[in-house]
Amino acid sequence: MFWNESSVNHLGYSKEEALGKLSPEIFFEPEFLQAEAERLGAYLKKPLKPGLEPFQEIARGGFRYRNKCTLLSRLGERYPVELASTAWFAPDGQVEFTIFMARDLSEDLVREERILRQNAVLRNITKSANTMVLGVAPDGVIQFWNDAADRLLGYSQEEMVGKATPAMVHDPAEVAAEAARMSAELGQ
């Protein structure tokens, strides 16, 4: 087992305390180990005991592995991580060893939560606005349609979102006139 500075900082065990002395099982929640034994056992079509056995099977089989879980520190702190592994193959094609990596997701989760809150605020503002607000994807299909658009144009969100383009609610002659004006302005 390799034990880097990040492992020391997050899990609270020195390299001397960890290498060859600690079972990696102590860093995982029992529920995660049980679920992984069931999930990987179903994939491999054989029963696996919760704990190290599923990860040993990954190492023996040279499988790539990726999953999100929570690691537990010496002090009981919980760290959300993305756990990944890849096999290191010897020249004869046999698995020489497996590299397991845990990427701390704490900052990612904080960022995601902030984005979700900002999106909720934006949704509430646009939903309650008296001004029509449309969100249009690069392909021109409407992705957002607020209540004011329902009232002003008479189409429901269900009719428009993901199905229509703004061209459906514009006067074709007005669109042509605006296109000609803009082309002249841009010299095209």
Side-chain angles (χ1 to χ4, degrees), residues 2-188:
F2 175 72
W3 202 255
N4 65 10
E5 195 62 33
S6 180
S7 301
V8 173
N9 293 337
H10 283 85
L11 300 175
Y13 294 92
S14 71
K15 189 183 236 182
E16 296 72 32
E17 292 174 301
L19 292 180
K21 298 176 186 153
L22 293 179
S23 169
E25 292 172 283
I26 69 167
F27 305 118
F28 296 99
E29 296 174 313
E31 300 81 13
F32 173 75
L33 294 174
Q34 177 68 42
E36 287 305 271
E38 292 170 9
R39 187 173 76 86
L40 294 169
Y43 176 75
L44 297 170
K45 296 181 174 63
K46 66 182 195 177
L48 298 175
K49 291 183 221 149
L52 287 182
E53 189 175 6
F55 300 103
Q56 290 166 336
E57 286 294 321
I58 290 168
R60 277 193 286 278
F63 303 111
R64 286 182 179 254
Y65 173 84
R66 185 172 301 252
N67 201 356
K68 292 180 181 177
C69 67
T70 301
L71 293 183
L72 307 172
S73 78
R74 171 183 243 167
L75 300 176
E77 295 164 309
R78 302 162 67 85
Y79 291 97
V81 298
E82 178 180 50
L83 192 62
S85 76
T86 190
W88 185 276
F89 292 95
D92 66 0
Q94 296 298 310
V95 175
E96 195 168 320
F97 58 89
T98 300
I99 300 169
F100 285 92
M101 299 152 285
R103 183 174 71 86
D104 186 353
L105 297 176
S106 300
E107 290 180 17
D108 292 356
L109 295 175
V110 168
R111 247 188 322 276
E112 285 175 22
E113 181 60 33
R114 187 173 59 244
I115 290 168
L116 289 172
R117 280 194 315 270
Q118 289 170 340
N119 285 344
V121 168
L122 181 59
R123 255 191 313 281
N124 287 335
I125 290 170
T126 56
K127 187 168 177 53
S128 62
N130 286 325
T131 304
M132 181 176 72
V133 179
L134 304 180
V136 181
D139 66 358
V141 176
I142 295 169
Q143 298 299 310
F144 180 82
W145 181 274
N146 73 345
D147 292 345
D150 280 1
R151 289 189 306 276
L152 293 168
L153 300 174
Y155 294 101
S156 70
Q157 292 175 24
E158 292 76 26
E159 291 174 285
M160 301 302 284
V161 174
K163 301 173 188 155
T165 68
M168 185 171 168
V169 295
H170 285 284
D171 176 0
E174 190 177 279
V175 171
E178 182 62 14
R181 184 194 69 72
M182 290 178 75
S183 294
E185 186 178 303
L186 295 171
Q188 297 179 357

